[in-house]
Every structure is written in structure tokens, then in C-alpha cells.
Amino acid sequence: MTTKIIDGKLIAKKVKDEIKTEVAGLIDNNDSTPHLVAIIVGDDPASQTYVASKEKAARSVGITSSVYKFPTDISEEELLNTIDFINNDDEINGLIVQLPLPEHISVSKVIESIDPEKDVDGFHPINVGKMVIGQPSFISATPAGVLELLKRYKIETEGKHCVVLGRSNIVGSPLSILMSKKSYPGNSTVTVCHSKTKDLSSIIKQADILICAIGSPQFVKADMIKPGAVVIDVGIHRIPADNEKGYKIVGDVDFEDVRRETSYITPVPGGVGPMTIAMLLSNTLLSFKKKHDS
Ligand code: GUN
């Protein structure tokens, strides 16, 4: 079987190049530029890395980027006041609060305090609700990145059986909804699997499109796959390896084992991962345009 490797790094670069061109045009026609603010609380190393990457990517396409860093012991009230301040700043188009947050801060209170018009993470219940009923909204970056890959590779989704492994608010749940929508990519028949699903292997075997977001390294093996399936791997894990670094990055799918059974497959790293930041920037540009078109 000929397998096509979906090159997320390449597509992310294309998306960012398109954003860069559009932002350059906006700068010529406006006296303001899109502006993304990230709030980070505490010193979780992974969060620091993610936010630094988002900041660098934003700058690389001409989007202004600011980061507000707060110590772990910031009070919920002070954080909410800061969000309120940013909500009211007309020059700011996108606001993300990097998760996780310390335990004394309510994630839902924080997300609900963000102006839905600036919620470029697409986590606010207003944006989630609009997505569910098919109204224009900010779609979370990772699900949006998966849809963009399907679109750019012109992968047929209509009438296909799409199996989604995982039901998280950030990935599995929105993707299961989006893939069932009357749109492209979409129009699929969707099955959502989770920790209580019985006979998981036989359901995976029925998938024309398999989206994996279960958080279990190399869980999906070749014998579970329907020959010719499209496999999208959203997982990212660091596992011990016999190399210089002592580790390697893998997904939820055992890539080397599974690839030969598929028509299209995303690698990890270099598949869905690079798309996430590209789509966050795309949402920030969209937010800017919505404000300036109205
Ligand atoms: N933590 C892990 N992924 C994300 C994300 O996409 N957005 C935010 N705000 N925090 C995260």
C-alpha cells in the first residue's frame, strides 16, 4: 500500500507564510497590527516552552506578542482583574491563558472571564457552543489544525466512518463534533471512544479516518487498522530511548508499525503538533479582521 506521510511542518509553514503576507497587507492599510497576549502563571517548564514558541511564531508573522508572567501564588482576583484589563484594551485582539493553572485558581472562572471575541484558544463556553451549532466561532487550535491538514491534503471525509479516540474538551470532543458537521472537512459518521468503551479494537478496525487523542504512547498498532485508513495522531509523549538524548518523542500511534496499513498518516513529531501554533495565529488574525471589518 502506498502511504502518504502528512507533513504538518510544511503545512504549518505554508499557513504561517499566508498569515505573514496578509498581516503585511494589513499593516500597509491600517495603523494597527494584530496583537496576541499570553498569560502564564507559575514556572511549569512545558508551559514556558509553549508560550515562548507562541511568542516567537507570532513575531515571525508580524503579529505583536506580549507575555504577562505571574508567580504561582498570584490570587485568582488579581488574575481576573488582569484579564478584565486586557479585555478592555482595544489594541489587543487575542488573549490566551496558558493551562494548567495552579490549583487555587478556577480554570472555568478564568476561561469564562475572557472576552469571547478575544478567546483565540476557543475555550470559552460561548465559542464552544457556537461551534456545536455551526455558527462562526474560534475553533481551538489543535482541532482546527487537524481539519486544516485534512483540507490541505484534500482527504475525502464525506460519508466516511471517523473514529475519535478520546473525549477531552480541547481535542476529542470538539473534533468529534466538527467531523460530523455538514461541511468539509466533515459529513463523516463519527464514533467517539473513551476509557469505558468496550471492544475498542473492533471499533478502531472500522475507522476510515482514525483520530487518536488518548494520551497513551504507541497504543495503536497495525493489526487494529483497517487497510487504507487515514490516521491522525494528536498524542505527544516522551519515552526512554537508547540514543544520545536518552528519550524520543512518540504519539498515541506506533508509527513504524501502523504506517504500512494506512493511506495517509501524521508522524510525531512533525504532524499535528506544528499546526497548533499556526492555527492560533490564524485565529488571532481572524479576530483582528472581525474587529476592523465591523
Ligand atoms: N496548555 C496546553 N495546550 C494549551 C492550549 O492550546 N492553550 C492553552 N491556553 N493552554 C494549553
Side-chain angles (χ1 to χ4, degrees):
M1 174 149 341
T2 50
T3 301
K4 282 212 173 90
I5 311 289
I6 295 179
D7 189 342
K9 220 170 145 184
L10 180 78
I11 303 298
K13 184 175 179 314
K14 280 192 184 166
V15 171
K16 284 189 281 185
D17 284 347
E18 289 163 13
I19 295 171
K20 190 173 179 175
T21 305
E22 212 175 328
V23 170
L26 290 172
I27 294 170
D28 286 345
N29 296 320
N30 282 280
D31 45 13
S32 62
T33 54
H35 186 170
L36 172 67
V37 170
I39 294 181
I40 181 165
V41 181
D43 41 30
D44 173 53
S47 292
Q48 304 278 344
T49 309
Y50 283 138
V51 169
S53 308
K54 290 171 186 176
E55 194 180 15
K56 189 168 158 226
R59 296 214 168 129
S60 78
V61 300
I63 291 178
T64 305
S65 165
S66 319
V67 179
Y68 286 49
K69 290 189 177 175
F70 292 105
T72 311
D73 63 359
I74 185 182
S75 69
E76 187 179 87
E77 191 187 1
E78 197 179 344
L79 183 59
L80 294 175
N81 286 342
T82 306
I83 293 170
D84 191 45
F85 178 78
I86 294 168
N87 283 342
N88 288 305
D89 184 337
D90 265 357
E91 298 298 311
I92 294 169
N93 311 100
L95 168 60
I96 62 169
V97 179
Q98 188 66 26
L99 304 177
L101 288 169
E103 272 184 12
H104 67 280
I105 298 174
S106 157
V107 174
S108 54
K109 253 194 201 168
V110 165
I111 289 174
E112 283 167 38
S113 73
I114 298 172
D115 177 353
E117 301 285 322
K118 298 189 182 188
D119 169 42
V120 287
D121 257 334
F123 292 170
H124 193 290
I126 294 256
N127 281 314
V128 177
K130 284 185 173 178
M131 184 262 299
V132 171
I133 59 173
Q135 285 185 9
S137 65
F138 292 118
I139 308 286
S140 302
T142 303
V146 169
L147 296 191
E148 195 66 26
L149 288 176
L150 294 171
K151 202 189 287 178
R152 299 265 174 160
Y153 277 83
K154 300 186 170 61
I155 292 170
E156 185 58 76
T157 59
E158 185 174 309
K160 304 289 181 190
H161 186 188
C162 175
V163 173
V164 180
L165 305 185
R167 56 179 162 184
S168 71
N169 286 345
I170 296 184
V171 184
S173 177
L175 270 170
S176 65
I177 292 159
L178 291 162
M179 289 301 289
S180 73
K181 286 275 152 208
K182 198 170 182 174
S183 59
Y184 176 76
N187 270 323
S188 294
T189 303
V190 177
T191 303
V192 185
C193 299
H194 46 75
S195 55
K196 304 286 184 238
T197 296
K198 294 205 170 78
D199 203 5
L200 184 59
S201 296
S202 81
I203 298 172
I204 295 176
K205 193 88 184 178
Q206 297 166 37
D208 301 308
I209 300 169
L210 179 67
I211 299 177
C212 309
I214 37 169
S216 184
Q218 298 179 311
F219 175 84
V220 177
K221 304 289 183 193
D223 61 1
M224 300 174 177
I225 301 292
K226 176 175 177 178
V230 174
V231 174
I232 307 289
D233 189 353
V234 188
I236 177 154
H237 315 276
R238 207 187 244 212
I239 62 165
D242 200 7
N243 60 18
E244 243 173 58
K245 287 186 280 189
Y247 69 86
K248 63 176 179 174
I249 305 292
V250 299
D252 289 348
V253 174
D254 188 338
F255 180 79
E256 287 307 330
D257 188 41
V258 166
R259 60 184 292 178
R260 63 191 148 84
E261 293 295 338
T262 65
S263 54
Y264 290 89
I265 186 168
T266 59
V268 176
V272 175
M275 292 301 292
T276 301
I277 292 182
M279 300 318 288
L280 174 70
L281 302 179
S282 171
N283 278 348
T284 307
L285 174 57
L286 183 68
S287 173
F288 179 91
K289 289 198 294 189
K290 264 173 45 186
K291 178 162 172 274
H292 289 262
D293 284 351
S294 56

